[in-house]
Amino acid sequence: MTDAAALPGQPRGGVLSGPATARAVNVLAPNPSAMTLDGTNTWILSEPDSDLAVVVDPGPLDDGHLRHVVATAEQAGKRVALTLLTHGHPDHAAGAARFAELTGTRVRALDPALRLGDEGLAAGDVITTGGLELRIVPTPGHTADSLSFHLPADRAVLTGDTILGRGTTVVAHPDGRLGDYLDSLRRLRSLTVDDGVHTVLPGHGPVLEDAQGAVEYYLAHRAHRLAQVETAVEDGYRTPAEVVAHVYADVDRSLWPAAELSVRAQLDYLEEHGLI
């Protein structure tokens, strides 16, 4: 068995659901798959001495899960006061409207189509609820509307699908763009260097104890894949499907459709930069 400390980002072992930091509790949604790993991580955030909580990514439209999130908060003496979304993919956001009904909360997101209430989210926003401070970090690339949430008191960042607890993520072309994604990874790296962030609370998979290591791994992985795609094109592989079959030959074929989205994003990036 591989030691978790030797893996990128040092993933934390053990059960995913439950307390992750002093201010963050995970409730794992029952939607495991090749794309969602163990399922969607729904995060309940609050100050230890506060009776108010913020929920990030209620998850899929699964009434049992949504009620379990509410019950978990209530058992800890918390009332859900606000709902936030990292991005609009259904495994993170499809349950948001129903969750808002159950809790009487607003839903804040970057995409106006996902909001319930007048307030959205934007770069530089700081959310304070029950003494909890969350700073909004724009991290487009996986999707155009992807956000991360910096939790300074725990030296942690909630990354949605921008960084996963295991494996790497998809640049969901055409909405996702590789140039944006690389910029977002560099922005997250600056949090680890300049702001002391050391813990990643991802949208899927285990907590990562080495945030900087995770970001560096992601940047190196993207550079490697981009070089592979560029070489494949030079070798005569022209269509995205051909490139996927060549470059991702060692990857489970069930993941090839998702890999093709990333390849399309990489091909666009190479073309935009005059490299193919």
Side-chain angles (χ1 to χ4, degrees):
M1 181 178 293
T2 302
D3 183 355
L7 296 173
Q10 297 182 18
R12 185 182 298 175
V15 178
L16 297 183
S17 283
T21 68
R23 293 165 180 81
V25 173
N26 181 30
V27 181
L28 183 65
N31 61 334
S33 72
M35 291 298 293
T36 60
L37 305 182
D38 310 271
T40 300
N41 294 333
T42 295
W43 292 103
I44 302 173
L45 309 176
S46 65
E47 284 296 314
D49 58 354
S50 173
D51 62 355
L52 299 180
V54 175
V55 166
V56 176
D57 289 351
L61 183 53
D62 181 309
D63 212 60
H65 169 66
L66 301 176
R67 290 181 181 275
H68 182 40
V69 174
V70 175
T72 300
E74 290 178 344
Q75 288 165 9
K78 315 285 185 181
R79 176 178 65 83
V80 179
L82 179 64
T83 302
L84 305 177
L85 297 176
T86 60
H87 65 297
H89 279 168
D91 56 311
H92 294 256
R98 174 59 178 150
F99 190 72
E101 289 180 3
L102 292 172
T103 58
T105 59
R106 297 164 294 146
V107 177
R108 295 182 64 179
L110 180 62
D111 184 350
L114 299 171
R115 301 172 189 167
L116 290 176
D118 297 330
E119 290 185 281
L121 294 171
D125 283 353
V126 178
I127 291 172
T128 54
T129 301
L132 181 82
E133 179 182 308
L134 279 178
R135 300 174 184 173
I136 309 307
V137 182
T139 48
H142 169 68
T143 61
D145 70 329
S146 287
L147 297 171
S148 293
F149 302 110
H150 178 199
L151 181 55
D154 283 347
R155 298 172 64 191
V157 61
L158 290 84
T159 55
D161 283 357
T162 298
I163 292 179
L164 305 179
R166 185 170 68 251
T168 56
T169 198
V170 172
V171 179
H173 180 276
D175 183 48
R177 296 177 58 83
L178 181 59
D180 290 342
Y181 186 67
L182 295 174
D183 287 343
S184 293
L185 290 177
R186 296 182 189 109
R187 193 170 296 119
L188 290 173
R189 181 170 58 187
S190 75
L191 286 182
T192 71
V193 174
D194 300 330
D195 295 278
V197 166
H198 61 65
T199 302
V200 173
L201 306 176
H204 304 278
V207 171
L208 298 177
E209 306 280 10
D210 177 16
Q212 186 172 353
V215 175
E216 296 292 358
Y217 171 77
Y218 266 63
L219 284 166
H221 171 79
R222 281 294 161 204
H224 178 63
R225 283 299 194 206
L226 191 62
Q228 287 180 309
V229 170
E230 184 177 3
T231 299
V233 173
E234 291 172 351
D235 290 345
Y237 298 92
R238 298 299 179 189
T239 69
E242 290 173 345
V243 173
V244 168
H246 178 67
V247 172
Y248 291 80
D250 60 338
V251 173
D252 188 327
R253 283 177 174 262
S254 68
L255 298 175
W256 281 14
E260 185 169 327
L261 297 179
S262 286
V263 165
R264 289 179 181 274
Q266 290 172 93
L267 291 171
D268 279 0
Y269 180 88
L270 291 169
E271 186 171 353
E272 289 164 4
H273 289 76
L275 297 174
I276 58 173

